[in-house]
């Protein structure tokens, strides 16, 4: 799914006006895995919420394959995963997946079974367990399986692994890439972690402190699996970090 | 919800026993006359001397309490659900409910007796009115308090209002329903007894009223003992059910 954002502005009234996004232009081609990086409070979550149709922009336009966010949402083409796995505690592992599958049944034609989705994230042996008996990493894997079974054209991910420890986060990032590979939906992935962004994404977009503006846009043309100890990786790392620091200093 | 302390139930029993012993000792040592405060032994003796009378009265009162509680529960859950699905109605209906809640039932009970007679109907109505409000308020807030991350998820699925209700709000409100039950179940007993007090052909409230007008305190206290035991049992039953149904609550939410 193609994402076209033009002259997007969003201001919160709390009640004094607080601009969160300023004049954002962004074009994400279909199937691209794009990471969005920016300082805390710069409007990353706001951007994803606007695309998901959870918020209405103050001005500007968002088109998803030519549809408005509301239309794309009604077509159930946009999947959402945030920092909390948002599992339903009264349902089992398979129950959580089955509910997503059931509520989306009209669109899915049931290509993937619950069991297959669980296998993809290595949870097939925990199908009957309840979410509260799972570790944080397993819970987020379950949320990934639920994301996968929706078979959406666009994945909006707001720091999905931020609450996890380093090792688990790396495992899940690698798993996310595996899950993305076969169908290659468009991914908009918000993260605070520059390493993580460069290891996974094809493109890294840097936003300025609030109100968020695009200050840099890097294309990461490195083959997978990516190694951090290559000069190309280190160069990009340096450039992204510099762009981020400059944006923060300019705003200060 | 905390797991019960090991032996927590036994400690409660011990405290009650200790309290009864102190009561017994105090009455017999200070020679308080029985028309002021009967000793527990005397009260239990009265109870066992009239098993049929107390059994019949208890059955009637508990039946009324139970029927009223059931009606109050159903009405509370239904109206809370309706207000969740049609939020526009909330303000009006809640104003009415609070009006009803603020009306002293002690004043309504005799009126109902005048209109509907000495049968069980006015008792059930009073009990239902009394138990309805905690259920309405608690269940409504449970239905409305679905968590943001869950609501966002259902939004991303483009779930209908009915689907959000059925798969998210309703299960989310179950712990609140039990919180309400813990308040409403003892209230149901009070409601039935107070209603009987204002005029009834039977029941524990009637027994208490007769005992009171005759200053027969052992008779009065025997009925109180039964009510206390019934209240305790109802509460324990609620907690027992809650543990089985809300199994996910003893753990932090994922
Ligand atoms: N519902 C809201 N009402 C008022 N202001 C808000 C609201 N949501 C966000 N904001 C403000 O908008 C700005 C951007 O918030 P946003 O959550 O998008 O930041 P973020 O980039 O996701 O930050 P973080 O990295 O810490 O998650 C912040 O200044 C925030 O205070
Ligand atoms: Mg955020």
């Amino acid at each position: 799914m193609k994402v076209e954002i033009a002259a997007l502005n969003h201001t919160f009234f709390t009640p004094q006006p607080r601009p969160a996004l300023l004049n954002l232009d962004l074009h994400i081609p279909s199937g691209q895995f794009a990471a969005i990086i920016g300082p805390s409070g710069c409007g990353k979550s706001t951007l994803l919420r606007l695309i998901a149709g959870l918020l209405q922009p103050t001005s500007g336009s968002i088109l998803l394959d030519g549809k408005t966010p509301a239309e794309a949402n009604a077509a159930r083409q946009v999947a959402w995963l945030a920092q909390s796995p948002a599992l339903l505690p009264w349902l089992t592992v398979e129950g959580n997946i089955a509910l997503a599958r059931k509520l989306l049944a009209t669109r899915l034609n049931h290509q993937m079974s619950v069991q297959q989705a669980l296998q993809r994230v290595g949870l097939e042996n925990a199908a009957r367990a309840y979410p509260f008996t799972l570790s944080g990493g397993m819970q987020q894997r379950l949320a990934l399986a639920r994301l996968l079974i929706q078979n959406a054209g666009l994945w909006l991910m707001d720091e999905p692994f931020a609450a996890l420890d380093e090792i688990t986060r790396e495992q899940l990032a690698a798993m996310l890439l595996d899950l993305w590979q076969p169908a290659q939906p468009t991914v908009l992935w918000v993260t605070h972690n520059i390493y993580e962004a460069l290891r996974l994404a094809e493109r890294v977009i840097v936003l300025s402190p609030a109100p968020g503006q695009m200050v840099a846009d890097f294309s990461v043309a490195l083959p997978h699996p990516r190694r951090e100890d290559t000069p190309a990786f280190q160069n990009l790392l340096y450039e992204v970090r510099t762009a981020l620091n400059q944006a923060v200093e300019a705003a200060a | 919800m905390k797991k019960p302390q090991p032996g927590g139930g036994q400690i409660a029993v011990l405290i009650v026993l200790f309290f009864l012993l102190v009561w017994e000792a105090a009455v017999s040592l200070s020679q308080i006359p029985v028309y002021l405060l009967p000793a527990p032994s005397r009260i239990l003796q009265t109870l066992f001397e009239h098993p049929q009378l107390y059994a019949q009265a208890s059955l009637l009162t508990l039946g009324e309490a139970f029927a009223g509680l059931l009606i109050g529960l159903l009405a509370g859950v239904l109206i809370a659900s309706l207000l969740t699905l049609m939020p526009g109605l909330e303000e009006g209906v809640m104003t009415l409910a609070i009006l009803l809640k603020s009306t002293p039932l002690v004043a309504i009970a005799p009126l109902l007796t005048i209109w509907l007679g000495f049968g069980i109907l006015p008792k059930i109505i009073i009990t239902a009115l009394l138990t309805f409000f905690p259920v309405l308020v608690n269940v409504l807030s449970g239905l409305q308090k679905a968590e943001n991350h869950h609501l966002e998820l259902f939004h991303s699925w483009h779930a209908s209002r009915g689907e959000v209700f059925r798969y998210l709000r309703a299960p989310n409100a179950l712990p609140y329903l039990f919180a309400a039950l813990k308040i409403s179940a003892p209230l149901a007993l009070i409601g039935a007894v107070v209603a009987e007090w204002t005029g009834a052909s039977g029941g524990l409230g009637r027994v208490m009223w007769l005992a009171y007008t005759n200053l027969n305190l052992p008779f009065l206290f025997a009925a109180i003992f039964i009510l206390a035991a019934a209240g305790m049992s109802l509460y324990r039953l609620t907690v027992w059910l809650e543990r089985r149904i809300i199994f996910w609550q003893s753990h932090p939410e994922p």
Side-chain angles (χ1 to χ4, degrees):
Chain A
M1 175 177 279
K2 188 169 57 177
V3 180
E4 293 161 299
I5 294 172
L8 185 69
N9 284 284
H10 194 74
T11 301
F12 288 106
F13 293 93
T14 61
Q16 63 278 60
R18 187 195 291 214
L21 286 173
L22 195 65
N23 225 7
L24 194 70
D25 287 298
L26 189 60
H27 180 137
I28 315 269
S30 189
Q32 188 169 62
F33 193 127
I36 299 174
I37 278 198
S40 182
C42 75
K44 304 181 296 294
S45 299
T46 304
L47 176 61
L48 289 203
R49 288 164 172 281
L50 288 166
I51 299 172
L54 284 162
L55 283 175
Q56 296 299 316
T58 311
S59 70
S61 82
I62 300 173
L63 288 178
L64 310 170
D65 271 352
K67 293 184 195 140
T68 64
E71 288 163 353
N73 171 250
R76 289 156 175 178
Q77 271 299 332
V78 184
W80 171 270
L81 177 59
Q83 194 166 327
S84 151
L87 303 171
L88 299 175
W90 47 82
L91 297 180
T92 58
V93 163
E94 59 185 1
N96 269 279
I97 308 284
L99 180 64
R101 194 166 174 274
K102 177 174 173 176
L103 293 186
L104 300 171
T106 47
R107 189 181 61 73
L108 286 183
N109 297 320
H110 292 168
Q111 315 92 330
M112 187 185 282
S113 72
V114 172
Q115 200 55 32
Q116 280 167 332
L118 288 178
Q119 268 162 13
R120 293 285 297 279
V121 299
L123 281 178
E124 63 274 20
N125 293 326
R128 296 282 160 79
Y130 281 92
F132 55 77
T133 66
L134 305 182
S135 69
M138 289 164 94
Q139 292 183 9
Q140 208 54 276
R141 261 148 68 194
L142 178 54
L144 281 176
R146 190 179 57 194
L147 186 79
L148 190 66
I149 208 167
Q150 293 179 55
N151 195 28
L154 174 62
W155 291 0
L156 299 177
M157 311 183 82
D158 191 357
E159 305 189 48
F161 310 139
L164 304 173
D165 66 89
E166 179 107 22
I167 296 170
T168 313
R169 212 164 59 211
E170 285 186 11
Q171 285 172 349
L172 282 183
M175 179 173 275
L176 171 61
L177 201 61
D178 278 350
L179 298 177
W180 171 75
Q181 277 294 344
Q184 303 216 347
T186 311
V187 177
L188 276 182
W189 181 44
V190 168
T191 174
H192 273 135
N193 191 317
I194 306 177
Y195 270 100
E196 215 172 57
L198 286 175
R199 253 198 310 266
L200 263 68
E202 300 171 86
R203 179 179 179 188
V204 176
I205 295 154
V206 181
L207 297 185
S208 70
Q213 282 173 290
M214 194 157 83
V215 290
D217 187 354
F218 297 93
S219 133
V220 190
L222 303 174
H224 288 284
R226 289 175 183 163
R227 292 184 53 140
E228 290 161 34
D229 56 357
T230 59
F233 193 98
Q234 289 296 327
N235 270 343
L236 268 171
L237 192 63
Y238 177 77
E239 285 180 38
V240 173
R241 181 165 294 142
T242 308
L244 200 54
N245 288 342
Q246 277 171 357
V248 173
E249 276 163 25
Chain B
M1 187 179 74
K2 274 194 295 188
K3 290 258 178 227
Q5 292 287 314
Q10 284 95 310
I11 289 172
V13 171
L14 282 179
I15 289 175
V16 171
L17 278 181
F18 178 74
F19 171 73
L20 289 177
L21 275 177
V22 170
W23 179 353
E24 184 78 36
V27 169
S28 64
L29 285 179
S30 63
Q31 311 251 305
I32 298 175
V34 70
Y35 57 82
L36 285 183
L37 182 65
S41 58
R42 178 68 193 275
I43 296 165
L44 290 176
Q45 189 193 338
T46 311
L47 199 58
F48 290 117
E49 276 168 7
H50 309 276
Q52 212 188 338
L53 181 143
Y54 281 111
Q56 275 175 357
S58 306
L59 214 61
L60 186 64
T61 304
L62 289 180
E64 290 162 355
F66 201 72
L69 179 62
L70 207 64
I71 293 171
L73 197 70
L74 284 178
V77 169
L78 271 177
I79 293 178
S81 306
L82 192 77
L83 296 188
T84 308
L85 290 169
M86 294 179 226
L89 298 178
E90 184 180 340
E91 208 181 317
V93 172
M94 285 313 283
T95 309
L96 282 180
I98 286 167
L99 194 72
L100 197 66
K101 165 78 186 158
S102 325
T103 312
L105 284 178
V106 192
I108 298 183
L111 276 179
L112 285 178
T113 306
I114 293 169
W115 293 333
L116 299 171
F118 291 104
I120 59 169
L121 193 59
K123 284 82 185 173
I124 292 176
I125 292 175
I126 289 289
T127 307
L129 284 175
L130 206 58
T131 52
F132 157 77
F133 196 74
V135 175
L136 172 65
V137 170
N138 275 285
V139 172
L140 184 61
S141 97
L143 289 170
Q144 291 172 341
K145 269 189 197 151
E147 305 218 20
N148 251 331
H149 59 228
H150 287 140
L151 288 169
E152 284 167 0
L153 180 73
F154 277 76
H155 165 91
S156 78
W157 293 342
H158 196 68
S160 70
R161 196 176 276 200
E163 285 167 342
V164 174
F165 184 88
R166 171 154 175 219
Y167 297 108
L168 177 60
R169 294 190 188 280
N172 191 63
L174 272 179
Y176 294 79
L177 177 64
F178 277 96
L181 256 183
K182 286 183 202 161
I183 302 169
S184 283
L187 272 185
L189 290 172
I190 296 178
V193 169
V194 168
E196 285 168 354
W197 193 278
T198 63
S201 45
L204 287 173
R206 176 73 179 159
V207 170
M208 287 165 83
W209 184 80
L210 283 174
Y212 169 73
T213 48
N214 291 307
L215 279 182
N216 188 337
L217 264 62
F219 245 81
L220 182 65
F221 270 102
I224 292 177
F225 273 25
I226 293 177
L227 282 170
M232 264 309 281
S233 314
L234 263 179
Y235 182 82
R236 301 300 314 174
L237 181 70
T238 313
V239 171
W240 183 83
L241 273 176
E242 182 184 35
R243 291 238 168 83
R244 260 138 208 87
I245 295 175
I246 324 278
F247 57 89
W248 66 89
Q249 271 272 305
S250 46
H251 308 266
E253 234 241 34

